[in-house]
Amino acid sequence: MASSLVIRTRAYSDELKKAASSIEQAAWSDLGYLSYTRAHYELYTDLLEQYPEYQLCLVDEETDYPVAVFNSVPLSWSGAEGLPQEGWDWVVETGARAKGSHTVLGGLAMSIPAVHRAKGYGRRMLQAMRELAESKGLGGVLAAVRPSSKARHPWVSIDDYITWTDDNGKAFDPWLRSHLASGGKLVGPCKRSMVVEEPIAFWETWSRKEYPESGSYVIDGALVPLMIDRERGIGRYEEPNIWVTYSC
């Protein structure tokens, strides 16, 4: 018999809060270096604590354990200034300093562990995301979306990648297709969405590779090459994402 699934928030219980954190860590463990953007390292965890009712969990009622998690934050954004190239980091920073009335929902992360992928949970959570925004009286949703298949094409520019289509004329990237099928609108790339600049030793630890010379290197899971500067002793990764918006 198929399990029954229900949407709950991290505010539901301490046990669910702990489980949600576990799901997120499992889903993103191979990309742990992304936790070291300045915005993520300094602000992200506090935002989840500040807005537990904006952190959604898709819970299997049979096991009482989440199978997918969506994190978000309310933002004060008029739209007049446009959406910046800083993407995800900007959403976190804007959410952390938000004052006054909130106008939109800022999507932060969709976490689905490998064992639960390709089951339709992503689209279920996208629907729940829109319902959350509507229930909070917000005018829409914006998110710097990480295109799921871009890592297979790290040398392709994000400007070119966003134009790719499949044999049916739909977006080539499966996660972008899911957003479009759920009512999202592709606005355009944000080329410095998540920026991690750390000592070369940091990157060698995460990638299990050595970087003896300056230059561009492909690392597992990255959407674009890592830039190594031996003279400065620094590796810099600028991850491009794609702005997607929803109206409520």
Side-chain angles (χ1 to χ4, degrees), residues 18-28 65-69 111-113 116:
K18 179 181 178 181
S21 295
S22 176
I23 289 291
E24 188 173 8
Q25 290 174 19
W28 294 93
Y65 204 82
V67 296
V69 171
S111 304
I112 305 175
H116 293 307

Side-chain angles (χ1 to χ4, degrees), residues 10 24 44-52 55 71 108:
R10 280 170 60 118
E24 188 173 8
Y44 182 69
T45 300
D46 288 344
L47 277 181
L48 303 191
E49 293 290 335
Q50 184 177 354
Y51 297 105
Q55 319 314 322
N71 296 328
L108 295 174

Side-chain angles (χ1 to χ4, degrees), residues 39-40 43-44 47 73 87-97 108:
H40 196 299
L43 304 170
Y44 182 69
L47 277 181
V73 62
W88 191 91
D89 285 346
W90 174 85
V91 172
V92 174
E93 292 168 354
T94 301
R97 65 171 181 263
L108 295 174

Side-chain angles (χ1 to χ4, degrees), residues 179-232:
H179 276 280
L180 289 168
S182 300
K185 175 184 177 183
L186 302 189
V187 176
C190 38
K191 298 179 181 179
R192 298 183 301 277
S193 188
M194 301 188 79
V195 176
V196 183
E197 185 173 274
E198 293 289 339
I200 293 173
F202 168 95
W203 293 106
E204 292 179 335
T205 299
W206 276 105
S207 65
R208 302 177 185 177
K209 299 177 182 177
E210 294 184 347
Y211 303 107
E213 300 177 355
S214 294
S216 303
Y217 294 85
V218 173
I219 58 176
D220 290 346
L223 304 191
V224 293
L226 166 69
M227 301 299 296
I228 293 292
D229 186 335
R230 292 296 309 183
E231 184 175 344
R232 296 177 58 220

Side-chain angles (χ1 to χ4, degrees), residues 128-141:
M129 171 192 76
R130 297 190 69 178
E131 292 172 351
L132 173 65
E134 292 173 359
S135 71
K136 297 296 185 180
L138 302 174
V141 181

